[in-house]
Amino acid sequence: LARAPQAMVLLGDTPYIDDGTVEGRRRRFRAFYEFPPVRAVLQAVPTWATWDDHDYATNDAFGKAKGGETARQVFCEYHAHPVYGDGARGIYTSFRRGPIEVFLLDTRSFADTETSVLAEGQRSLLGRTQIEWLQRGLLASSAAFKVLACGMVWNPGVRPNKADCWGNWLPERDALLRWIYQR
């Protein structure tokens, strides 16, 4: 707070929630947000959030993971975003602060539930709806800087056999980066 931040972004696992019940999730969010240092920042700084594996389901989980079916409801209850995903699925969102527009990606909800629209015949991490939302947003943005942020690591530089990093969806990641470069 002494540095007067203009915004804060939580990239998931805030907090770790490995209890897939609605009440268990609510209990963990309440405990986290009631912790005095966290509470002080949240009261003073506009905050946006996306989720990662532990606030979506369990460790390394994505797609149709057990526990994921209750995650979105509770996430929305504890985060004051103007929109969450497509309104029914996902929690991706964007916001602008001065010359920067931040696109918070959901790398959990859609993973391996369909094939990629960017990399034909390949696995999809983001899913068609989110990719189309992202492309529209990037094209419409007049911000000088655009930031893509998510809780998942963007490269394969992780522990051996880790199932949930962009390195396991390289065709889609690379196709997305090519699409951005071309525009």
Side-chain angles (χ1 to χ4, degrees):
L1 289 175
R3 293 177 179 242
Q6 294 180 23
M8 180 169 68
V9 174
L10 302 175
L11 294 177
D13 291 349
T14 46
Y16 266 49
I17 306 171
D18 285 334
D19 179 341
T21 68
V22 170
E23 194 45 49
R25 290 177 186 285
R26 287 176 177 152
R27 186 172 37 258
R28 290 293 293 136
F29 273 122
R30 281 192 304 269
F32 179 73
Y33 291 139
E34 289 173 358
F35 183 58
V38 172
R39 186 181 192 131
V41 171
L42 293 175
Q43 289 175 333
V45 180
T47 302
W48 289 266
T50 189
W51 56 20
D52 202 32
D53 51 352
H54 292 276
D55 30 16
Y56 175 69
T58 56
N59 190 44
D60 294 346
F62 53 82
K64 295 181 181 179
K66 184 176 189 234
E69 67 278 354
T70 62
R72 187 177 187 281
Q73 171 194 338
V74 179
F75 186 92
C76 293
E77 291 173 4
Y78 284 85
H79 298 88
H81 293 178
V83 296
Y84 304 89
D86 65 9
R89 198 166 160 221
I91 52 98
Y92 52 92
T93 193
S94 65
F95 67 93
R96 182 164 176 173
R97 300 296 287 186
I100 301 168
E101 188 159 0
V102 177
F103 295 85
L104 289 177
L105 304 177
D106 178 345
T107 54
R108 298 295 163 177
S109 300
F110 305 96
D112 284 352
T113 62
E114 57 190 273
T115 58
S116 178
V117 296
L118 291 173
E120 189 175 327
Q122 300 293 319
R123 303 164 65 197
S124 182
L125 180 61
L126 301 179
R128 173 184 295 276
T129 303
Q130 184 174 193
I131 288 170
E132 290 173 352
W133 163 84
L134 177 60
Q135 289 174 320
R136 282 190 310 272
L138 289 169
L139 290 172
S141 177
S142 61
F145 302 98
K146 292 133 181 97
V147 175
L148 305 184
C150 63
M152 194 176 278
V153 177
W154 283 89
N155 62 44
V158 295
R159 75 180 187 293
N161 302 315
K162 184 165 176 58
D164 65 331
C165 67
W166 274 93
N168 291 315
W169 286 272
L170 285 176
E172 183 166 275
R173 184 205 65 181
D174 293 349
L176 174 61
L177 295 177
R178 274 192 304 278
W179 182 90
I180 291 169
Y181 175 76
Q182 291 167 352
R183 282 146 189 87

